[in-house]
Amino acid sequence: MDGLHDSGVQMVRYLQTQYNSSQDWFMFVSFAADLRNTFFVFFPIWFHLCETVGIRLIWVAVIGDWLNLVFKWILFGQRPYWWVHDTDYYRNISAPVIEQFPVTCETGPGSPSGHAMGAAGVYYVMVSALLTIILEKNQHTLKNWCLWGGLWSGFWGVQICVCLSRIFLAAHFPHQVISGVFSGMAVAEAFHHIQSIYKVSLKKYICATLFLFCFALGFYLLLKVLGVDLLWTLEKAKRWCARPEWIHIDTTPFAGLLRNLGIFFGLGLALHSQLYLESCKGKQGQQLTFRLCCILSSLLVLHLFDSFKPPTKNELLFYTLSFCKSAAVPLATVAIIPYGVSQLLSQKDKKVA
């Protein structure tokens, strides 16, 4: 593995040397590939345009990131920014100098890449959905083939940019981003064939949320009893990160787990709420005006809502508020905002009448 890691560090150095002027672009790509944008941007748009795609996005993002956490705990993946300082591989020569950035110092294990896995899964869902909607007639025309090729070329273009950005930022090795991409695609393809996710009861949403949390917590405690510290990466991050302020609690494994489970739990509550039934499933639910108003309102409200950052001094309070904040995202998008829009449009129609 040392040889593989060394070749990865050399690629990090090459990208940072040859494309140093593009660091703002790479940081933007890394920010855009964060799952937060799936929940706060892609989900509201897709849910109100095509409800099944929006639901599938959440399932792929949440389950995919949960699997990513389990894989990371099993594989013990290093990250370039600490491995280059921590290894004995360069004991007889000078260690390569690689630059760090504000988004470099993530605290979890590195394999597979969560950004690459999440982006691959989410964009695979969106591209597949677009092709299904646009090419539903299944006509093998030149126009359809060009559209098919264009969308999948765009998909791979995004994945390449995400992979290069994570390598450039010294957050991941090349093999970690590659495994992340194919893992994300596998999760998305699996859920493409699971139709039961659209008819899951609230009880099953609650049970699934508890199972995912208990399994991750139980796995963590089991390995800890066996003498395996799954938070070993936190010490390395604190030791080798260039600036202490670049280490954030929201990059820890349990922070991501509770954030995603909050989204999952909130979706279950929202889909089985009376507000959702009276708005999205009511008379106005199929109207384009209603859907567009819901999209715009959701994006605005969630943007303002995302500006709230839970306090980080108390970890238990931070995790609790993170879970609640995440649960509020689908609740607002699926139930509260559509109900409010429905009431406003109804009053407007009455005045016109």
Side-chain angles (χ1 to χ4, degrees):
M1 289 300 294
D2 283 343
L4 184 63
H5 288 151
D6 175 58
S7 63
V9 168
Q10 298 306 323
M11 185 170 182
V12 172
R13 284 198 64 197
Y14 174 79
L15 289 175
Q16 290 184 350
T17 302
Q18 298 298 319
Y19 301 96
N20 185 57
S21 60
S22 301
Q23 70 179 53
D24 289 339
W25 164 251
F26 285 123
M27 290 180 66
F28 168 76
V29 171
S30 185
F31 165 78
D34 193 283
L35 277 182
R36 180 181 285 103
N37 294 306
T38 298
F39 303 140
F40 284 83
V41 180
F42 296 143
F43 171 65
I45 295 174
W46 273 106
F47 183 84
H48 292 296
L49 290 179
C50 184
E51 188 174 301
T52 56
V53 178
I55 294 173
R56 189 159 76 245
L57 273 177
I58 295 296
W59 278 80
V60 169
V62 170
I63 301 302
D65 206 52
W66 181 83
L67 289 172
N68 181 265
L69 172 65
V70 174
F71 288 155
K72 283 181 174 180
W73 279 350
I74 294 174
L75 297 176
F76 289 84
Q78 303 281 341
R79 289 184 185 268
Y81 80 90
W82 76 55
W83 179 85
V84 72
H85 300 292
D86 207 46
T87 183
D88 293 330
Y89 188 77
Y90 303 111
R91 59 182 176 273
N92 296 323
I93 57 176
S94 299
V97 178
I98 58 177
E99 191 175 352
Q100 295 182 23
F101 305 88
V103 294
T104 296
C105 302
E106 294 202 18
T107 58
S111 186
S113 166
H115 278 73
M117 189 170 176
V122 167
Y123 279 87
Y124 190 95
V125 170
M126 294 192 292
V127 169
S128 300
L130 283 172
L131 289 174
T132 301
I133 294 170
I134 299 174
L135 307 181
E136 57 184 355
K137 294 182 180 179
N138 200 28
Q139 296 178 351
H140 298 287
T141 62
L142 178 61
K143 181 180 178 180
N144 285 354
W145 279 112
C146 289
L147 182 61
W148 185 91
L151 286 174
W152 282 116
S153 296
F155 169 83
W156 284 109
V158 169
Q159 305 317 309
I160 291 172
C161 287
V162 172
C163 291
L164 291 177
S165 74
R166 301 306 290 167
I167 297 171
F168 175 90
L169 297 172
H172 287 290
F173 293 100
H175 69 278
Q176 295 173 343
V177 293
I178 292 173
S179 62
V181 168
F182 287 103
S183 298
M185 291 174 62
V187 173
E189 180 62 23
F191 278 101
H192 184 70
H193 300 284
I194 302 176
Q195 300 300 312
S196 59
I197 61 174
Y198 310 117
K199 299 179 181 179
V200 177
S201 66
L202 177 58
K203 180 180 178 181
K204 289 183 178 179
Y205 266 105
I206 295 174
C207 290
T209 301
L210 291 173
F211 170 78
L212 294 175
F213 176 75
C214 291
F215 183 94
L217 180 62
F219 187 59
Y220 168 78
L221 294 176
L222 174 63
L223 291 183
K224 191 170 184 178
V225 169
L226 295 176
V228 180
D229 181 15
L230 292 178
L231 299 182
W232 60 277
T233 57
L234 187 58
E235 183 274 331
K236 290 186 179 294
K238 291 179 178 179
R239 182 179 181 185
W240 297 116
C241 187
R243 297 185 183 181
E245 63 269 22
W246 288 352
I247 299 176
H248 303 288
I249 189 174
D250 60 355
T251 66
T252 59
F254 278 107
L257 174 66
L258 290 172
R259 183 171 57 244
N260 292 333
L261 293 185
I263 291 285
F264 195 65
F265 178 70
L267 178 65
L269 289 178
L271 290 175
H272 295 86
S273 68
Q274 191 63 31
L275 298 181
Y276 163 74
L277 296 175
E278 292 181 12
S279 55
C280 294
K281 291 301 182 181
K283 295 180 180 179
Q284 295 178 333
Q286 300 302 318
Q287 296 178 8
L288 181 60
T289 302
F290 170 78
R291 291 171 178 263
L292 292 178
C293 287
C294 288
I295 291 173
L296 294 175
S297 300
S298 297
L299 291 176
L300 176 60
V301 171
L302 293 183
H303 175 71
L304 296 174
F305 187 60
D306 191 35
S307 62
F308 166 71
K309 305 298 181 184
T312 58
K313 292 183 178 180
N314 186 309
E315 288 192 22
L316 180 59
L317 179 62
F318 172 81
Y319 290 142
T320 302
L321 291 178
S322 293
F323 180 87
C324 295
K325 176 184 175 180
S326 296
V329 171
L331 273 172
T333 302
V334 175
I336 299 174
I337 292 175
Y339 182 77
V341 171
S342 176
Q343 294 299 306
L344 289 174
L345 292 178
S346 296
Q347 291 179 4
K348 184 178 179 181
D349 291 340
K350 289 178 181 179
K351 290 181 179 180
V352 172

